[in-house]
Amino acid sequence: MPVIRALGNVAKQALLAPACGCQPLTVAIRNISFSPRQVTSGSDASFHSVSFSETDHPKVLITGGLGQLGVGLAKLLRKRFGKNNVILSDIRKPPSNVFHSGPFIYSDILDYKNLREIVVNNRITWLVHYSALLSAVGEANVALARAVNITGLHNILDIAAEHGLRLFVPSTIGAFGPTSPRNPTPDLCVQRPRTIYGVSKVHAELMGEYYHHRYGLDFRCLRYPGIISADSQPGGGTTDYAVQIFHNAVKTGKFECNLKPDTRLPMMYIDDCLRATLEVMEAPVEPLRMRTYNINAMSFTPEELANEVQKQLPDLQVTYEIDSVRQAIADSWPMNFDDSNARNDWGWKHDYDLPELVQTMLNFIGSDSRIAQAN
Ligand SMILES: NC(=O)c1ccc[n+]([C@@H]2O[C@H](COP(=O)([O-])OP(=O)(O)OC[C@H]3O[C@@H](n4cnc5c(N)ncnc54)[C@H](O)[C@@H]3O)[C@@H](O)[C@H]2O)c1
Ligand SMILES: C[C@@H](O)[C@H](N)C(=O)O
């Protein structure tokens, strides 16, 4: 493949002569949807040029879509872009309501060719990469977390660069560690997390930004706080207690918390999180001074959350049985998140503070359990 070899030579020259600057190379690469994997492997794959008119809706693929966040995001994006323009994917079997609500496809992010086939056959233009092992589950299975969160991400980056996709990868408050400023934590500061989850997310931030600067990849990343949702279960994180308390409060009136009562962490209601994701994906390029932004809504401790729930359900009894792994993780994470750059650059604004969050969660779970009892 002479074109690929020629590109490889250009890339080598650019690396050997950094004084020339990489901008011309970046522009050339961007225009032909260059994939670093194609050049280094010398594969026979052809280049793809994806052109869409301004009025076309994006064609979106969501990986890891059956977790806490993916189904809600698919619903939001389908409302905006049309049901068939948003494909959910995962390695798990979808429940029937999800299967019947729009396109679903099997996709293992560790299988590069399968991913490429899906992107090509469905003419994907936006990729939302949700697959991951979260903080607590990751510590219990470091090898798998490393494979999914790091090797999987490499596949995603290469596919996105190769096919000129707009790529969203969420990061997290977990991308910070005990040596980061914790109250508040700004966008740019020391990031030395102590979990495989955090390490893999810092890696994702850096690799995405590198691909953006080096190859022109349209990479967008938000660092989410702990996300709280009523109709989807968290996948094994440190902030899961803040979801479980609502279910237990409604169903049993008792909750055993696995974090200490004064553990303060940034949190957000799922509707705010998903709206932020859509907004940053739709944002024009010009105001995006950075490619990775903190977003925040509120910060609270288990005790403060319990007090707010008890305003509605005064009989709720909360006890504490500390999980040492989760506690150590939480103690190394931000207590308050500084998201002023997101607010200034692309207009981020949250809707839900603690009282609205609690009211909304209890309404949702309460009505859900009343329906279940009636059936
Ligand atoms: N939920 C939160 O509080 C939160 C906070 C910050 C960041 N995030 C990030 O948002 C994203 C979505 O989070 P979530 O809470 O929905 O996660 P989750 O753990 O609930 O779901 C992750 C999904 O990834 C899938 N998956 C695992 N291995 C896979 C593979 N090899 N190929 C394809 N899919 C695979 C799982 O089956 C699962 O459905 C993650 O990247 C997470 O790090 C979440
Ligand atoms: C904070 C977030 O990344 C996830 N909910 C976790 O606790 O692991």
Side-chain angles (χ1 to χ4, degrees), residues 87-123:
I87 302 175
L88 262 182
S89 71
D90 208 300
I91 52 172
R92 295 195 271 153
K93 197 165 155 188
S96 79
N97 62 325
V98 173
F99 187 69
H100 290 111
S101 64
F104 177 86
I105 202 163
Y106 171 87
S107 172
D108 181 347
I109 58 155
L110 296 173
D111 183 344
Y112 179 78
K113 282 193 176 163
N114 169 243
L115 262 180
R116 183 157 75 180
E117 192 178 320
I118 292 169
V119 166
V120 168
N121 287 350
N122 295 285
R123 305 184 75 237

Side-chain angles (χ1 to χ4, degrees), residues 68-69 171-174 197 223-229 237-240 242-243 265-270 273 295-298 300 333-334 337 357:
Q68 187 189 2
L69 306 185
S171 185
T172 162
I173 50 173
Y197 178 60
R223 295 192 190 102
Y224 295 161
I227 306 302
I228 298 166
S229 59
T238 303
T239 57
D240 292 9
V243 175
L265 290 168
M267 301 278 185
M268 181 178 283
Y269 184 55
I270 188 167
C273 165
I295 53 164
N296 197 23
M298 64 193 100
F300 55 72
W333 281 2
F337 226 23
L357 167 85

Side-chain angles (χ1 to χ4, degrees), residues 120-153:
V120 168
N121 287 350
N122 295 285
R123 305 184 75 237
I124 298 298
T125 57
W126 284 15
L127 181 45
V128 176
H129 177 48
Y130 268 175
S131 310
L133 265 66
L134 303 196
S135 57
V137 164
E139 288 313 290
N141 196 341
V142 173
L144 185 62
R146 196 179 67 175
V148 173
N149 296 7
I150 297 179
T151 309
L153 174 90

Side-chain angles (χ1 to χ4, degrees), residues 31-244:
N31 290 342
I32 56 169
S33 291
F34 166 84
S35 158
R37 191 173 294 235
Q38 286 173 324
V39 168
T40 50
S41 67
S43 91
D44 279 349
S46 57
F47 292 106
H48 309 268
S49 58
V50 185
S51 60
F52 291 91
S53 80
E54 290 284 306
T55 52
D56 275 339
H57 283 317
K59 193 82 198 275
V60 188
L61 174 68
I62 303 174
T63 69
L66 295 184
Q68 187 189 2
L69 306 185
V71 173
L73 185 70
K75 199 168 159 196
L76 180 71
L77 298 184
R78 282 173 181 157
K79 232 185 246 167
R80 188 156 185 87
F81 302 130
K83 178 167 128 174
N84 292 324
N85 287 320
V86 180
I87 302 175
L88 262 182
S89 71
D90 208 300
I91 52 172
R92 295 195 271 153
K93 197 165 155 188
S96 79
N97 62 325
V98 173
F99 187 69
H100 290 111
S101 64
F104 177 86
I105 202 163
Y106 171 87
S107 172
D108 181 347
I109 58 155
L110 296 173
D111 183 344
Y112 179 78
K113 282 193 176 163
N114 169 243
L115 262 180
R116 183 157 75 180
E117 192 178 320
I118 292 169
V119 166
V120 168
N121 287 350
N122 295 285
R123 305 184 75 237
I124 298 298
T125 57
W126 284 15
L127 181 45
V128 176
H129 177 48
Y130 268 175
S131 310
L133 265 66
L134 303 196
S135 57
V137 164
E139 288 313 290
N141 196 341
V142 173
L144 185 62
R146 196 179 67 175
V148 173
N149 296 7
I150 297 179
T151 309
L153 174 90
H154 293 167
N155 287 341
I156 294 289
L157 285 169
D158 284 351
I159 297 278
E162 179 184 340
H163 297 278
L165 309 184
R166 183 170 296 178
L167 173 64
F168 179 82
V169 180
S171 185
T172 162
I173 50 173
F176 297 93
T179 50
S180 307
R182 295 180 61 219
N183 193 10
T185 305
D187 280 302
L188 296 175
C189 62
V190 169
Q191 286 181 268
R192 286 291 181 276
R194 297 262 174 93
T195 59
I196 186 63
Y197 178 60
V199 168
S200 68
K201 289 295 186 178
V202 177
H203 178 73
E205 294 175 8
L206 291 174
M207 285 295 285
E209 291 183 6
Y210 173 74
Y211 270 50
H212 170 65
H213 293 297
R214 185 72 169 76
Y215 305 123
L217 174 66
D218 192 352
F219 171 80
R220 301 174 185 216
C221 174
L222 297 178
R223 295 192 190 102
Y224 295 161
I227 306 302
I228 298 166
S229 59
D231 59 350
S232 58
Q233 289 300 319
T238 303
T239 57
D240 292 9
Y241 90 86
V243 175
Q244 200 53 46

